[in-house]
Amino acid sequence: MFDETVGLTVIILAIATLYAAVGQAGASGYLAVMGIAGLDPATMKPAALALNLLVAAIGTARFARAGLFDWRAFYPFGVLGMPFSFLGGTLHLPPHLYYPLVGAILLLAALELARSTWAARGMPEGTDPVKPPFLPALAAGAAVGFLSGMTGTGGGIFLAPLILLMGWVETRRAAAVSAAYNLLNSAAALAGTWTAAAAL
């Protein structure tokens, strides 16, 4: 048991390091590893969110210090992202629904990241981005927030591909916006999870 715990810790640390290098917080990776390890969804979701919160806080601080964070690109997504993430966090799906949903989300996220990476090749660094249109950004922030809160992902893994595909933000600034979105949504979803658990 001790060896399994140490192995899981080392793998999660490696995931956190790799994800942080590209502006993500790693929740999708943590969930994949914990799912393979056979942990219960009631454990997986808050654990992934707590780890996400820590890594996203570090990433957000570093991007802000480097002058890469664009408030105008971020706030339309965050306005509804946080409350919907809290709402999603209060929902606890049974294992027979949770595992397939998380698996599908991980596959979709991988496809979206690959597609957005290809699309981003056409946008050189320093390109002036088109600011996200407010209403579509509100809707996207709410939808991603609810889904991420329900499953225990921070949401940045979906937000970054979206804003890159739409050409709203160049790659490094997209990573900065994604890190901040992960930070706030993870905090909101974790608060929702705790609120629901306290009410039981």
Side-chain angles (χ1 to χ4, degrees), residues 48-106:
L49 288 169
L51 289 166
N52 226 44
L53 191 59
L54 174 63
V55 177
I58 295 170
T60 301
R62 292 186 64 184
F63 282 119
R65 195 178 305 121
L68 294 172
F69 180 73
D70 185 343
W71 175 254
R72 172 59 183 85
F74 165 74
Y75 89 85
F77 299 101
V79 168
L80 292 182
M82 281 190 69
F84 274 84
S85 187
F86 177 89
L87 182 61
T90 63
L91 302 178
H92 294 286
L93 298 177
H96 71 277
L97 293 177
Y98 183 80
Y99 289 124
L101 178 61
V102 169
I105 286 174
L106 296 182

Side-chain angles (χ1 to χ4, degrees), residues 28-172:
S28 56
Y30 312 142
L31 289 172
V33 170
M34 289 188 284
I36 292 170
L39 297 183
D40 186 81
T43 301
M44 291 170 58
K45 183 174 170 179
L49 288 169
L51 289 166
N52 226 44
L53 191 59
L54 174 63
V55 177
I58 295 170
T60 301
R62 292 186 64 184
F63 282 119
R65 195 178 305 121
L68 294 172
F69 180 73
D70 185 343
W71 175 254
R72 172 59 183 85
F74 165 74
Y75 89 85
F77 299 101
V79 168
L80 292 182
M82 281 190 69
F84 274 84
S85 187
F86 177 89
L87 182 61
T90 63
L91 302 178
H92 294 286
L93 298 177
H96 71 277
L97 293 177
Y98 183 80
Y99 289 124
L101 178 61
V102 169
I105 286 174
L106 296 182
L107 287 174
L108 178 61
L111 290 173
E112 286 299 307
L113 281 174
R115 191 169 66 163
S116 66
T117 299
W118 179 262
R121 294 175 64 184
M123 178 184 281
E125 299 297 327
T127 300
D128 290 333
V130 177
K131 298 302 182 184
F134 190 70
L135 291 179
L138 281 178
V144 172
F146 182 76
L147 183 61
S148 63
M150 184 171 58
T151 56
T153 59
I157 199 166
F158 294 108
L159 184 65
L162 173 65
I163 59 182
L164 286 173
L165 283 169
M166 299 305 293
W168 289 334
V169 186
E170 51 92 356
T171 307
R172 290 188 303 162

Side-chain angles (χ1 to χ4, degrees), residues 166-184:
M166 299 305 293
W168 289 334
V169 186
E170 51 92 356
T171 307
R172 290 188 303 162
R173 293 187 184 277
V177 169
S178 176
Y181 189 82
N182 271 325
L183 174 62
L184 296 182

